[in-house]
Amino acid sequence: MNVQLSRRLFLAGAAVSAGASALPRKVFAQAAAPTGPFALPQLGYAFNALEPHIDAMTMEIHSQRHHGSFIANLNNFAKDHGVLANGSVPRLLAEWQQLPEAIRMGAKNSLGGHANHAMFWQVMTPGGAKAPEGELKAAIDRYLGGFDKLKADFNGTGGRLFGSGWVFVTVSKDGRLAIVSKPNQDTPLMDGQMVLFGNDVWEHAYYLKYQNRRPEYLANWWNVANWSRIGERYAAAKAGTLEI
């Protein structure tokens, strides 16, 4: 992140702190009307619903502007390249090197950003279950050494990732789990893998509240993990129906 952007984020954070009491407590995120085949998904909860772990301003900027920019880019690309409008996001990502050369890198980055963030909003919730249960818990115990080890290894992988990117838990159709990291907006979908859940370690995901304290953000993120939804994603992966 450059100095000017860091300064803008810092000033925005200061403004949030000064005016936090003026934030509406029941304002929910509204997805923008699509102007093409790609649409910005709704969060399903208010911008401030994940506080104190993730602040309202971060959620608004992150979900509406950052994710929104990927949607706008994809719809612009799709105007002249119907392959984007006619393919599923997982297939387009798995075959991104076959996209038209003129849009290949831009579309790959925006497809990855869209898939990563659409997943991310799903796997968080206010006041959800604090730990995995059932088959998902058994898989975590079997493949990742248990819940505490999963958190430690996941946080360590995210903390060591240089620059910007994501840390994921992937899931195979037979239920096998693994922890991987990807730079920028890359995703395991590009390797034909399925994503169980992941965490965004770009600075825009945490800088207003945590500044450069990425490990603190990673540790606190588990307080908003949506284990009910992650369990549903695990079942969908085993059934072969999990998409993003």
Side-chain angles (χ1 to χ4, degrees):
M1 178 177 289
N2 61 39
V3 173
Q4 289 183 334
L5 180 56
S6 297
R7 177 175 172 78
R8 287 199 299 271
L9 287 172
F10 176 79
L11 292 174
V16 171
S17 297
S21 61
L23 281 174
R25 302 310 295 176
K26 295 295 183 180
V27 175
F28 282 76
Q30 298 295 320
T35 57
F38 296 90
L40 185 65
Q42 295 193 23
L43 296 181
Y45 43 82
F47 294 132
N48 59 19
L50 304 181
E51 291 183 345
H53 311 293
I54 303 178
D55 60 281
M57 182 63 77
T58 292
M59 286 301 298
E60 181 174 2
I61 293 172
H62 196 177
S63 65
Q64 305 303 293
R65 301 186 202 175
H66 287 282
H67 193 172
S69 69
F70 298 130
I71 298 298
N73 290 341
L74 290 169
N75 284 330
N76 284 332
F77 291 139
K79 291 176 184 177
D80 298 316
H81 300 277
V83 63
L84 290 179
N86 297 323
S88 71
V89 171
R91 183 178 66 79
L92 289 168
L93 282 165
E95 301 174 359
W96 72 268
Q97 294 185 24
Q98 300 175 32
L99 292 172
E101 184 176 359
I103 65 165
R104 187 173 298 151
M105 293 306 297
K108 184 264 285 189
N109 291 335
S110 291
L111 284 164
H114 174 37
N116 286 340
H117 286 87
M119 172 277 300
F120 191 49
W121 314 136
Q122 287 183 22
V123 301
M124 297 188 292
T125 192
K130 299 303 182 184
E133 299 177 345
E135 289 190 2
L136 175 57
K137 179 184 183 301
I140 290 171
D141 290 344
R142 180 178 182 182
Y143 297 112
L144 301 177
F147 188 41
D148 289 341
K149 190 172 189 304
L150 159 63
K151 291 191 289 185
D153 291 347
F154 187 93
N155 292 352
T157 300
R160 288 189 298 271
L161 182 62
F162 181 77
S164 300
W166 290 74
V167 55
F168 299 96
V169 171
T170 61
V171 55
S172 64
K173 193 170 181 180
D174 63 1
R176 185 177 298 272
L177 305 178
I179 297 172
V180 300
S181 63
K182 292 288 183 180
N184 303 314
Q185 292 298 342
D186 286 3
T187 164
L189 297 172
M190 295 173 180
D191 304 319
Q193 297 176 318
M194 292 182 288
V195 174
L196 180 62
F197 67 91
N199 195 355
D200 189 345
V201 293
W202 282 68
E203 284 191 336
H204 64 239
Y206 61 86
Y207 198 84
L208 291 181
K209 181 176 180 65
Y210 296 97
Q211 291 81 52
N212 65 331
R213 305 189 306 277
R214 184 192 289 183
E216 183 180 345
Y217 159 72
L218 285 163
N220 285 342
W221 180 82
W222 297 98
N223 291 292
V224 299
N226 185 349
W227 288 108
S228 295
R229 186 70 183 96
I230 296 170
E232 292 170 0
R233 290 176 64 86
Y234 182 73
K238 294 184 70 175
T241 60
L242 182 62
E243 299 246 332
I244 56 171

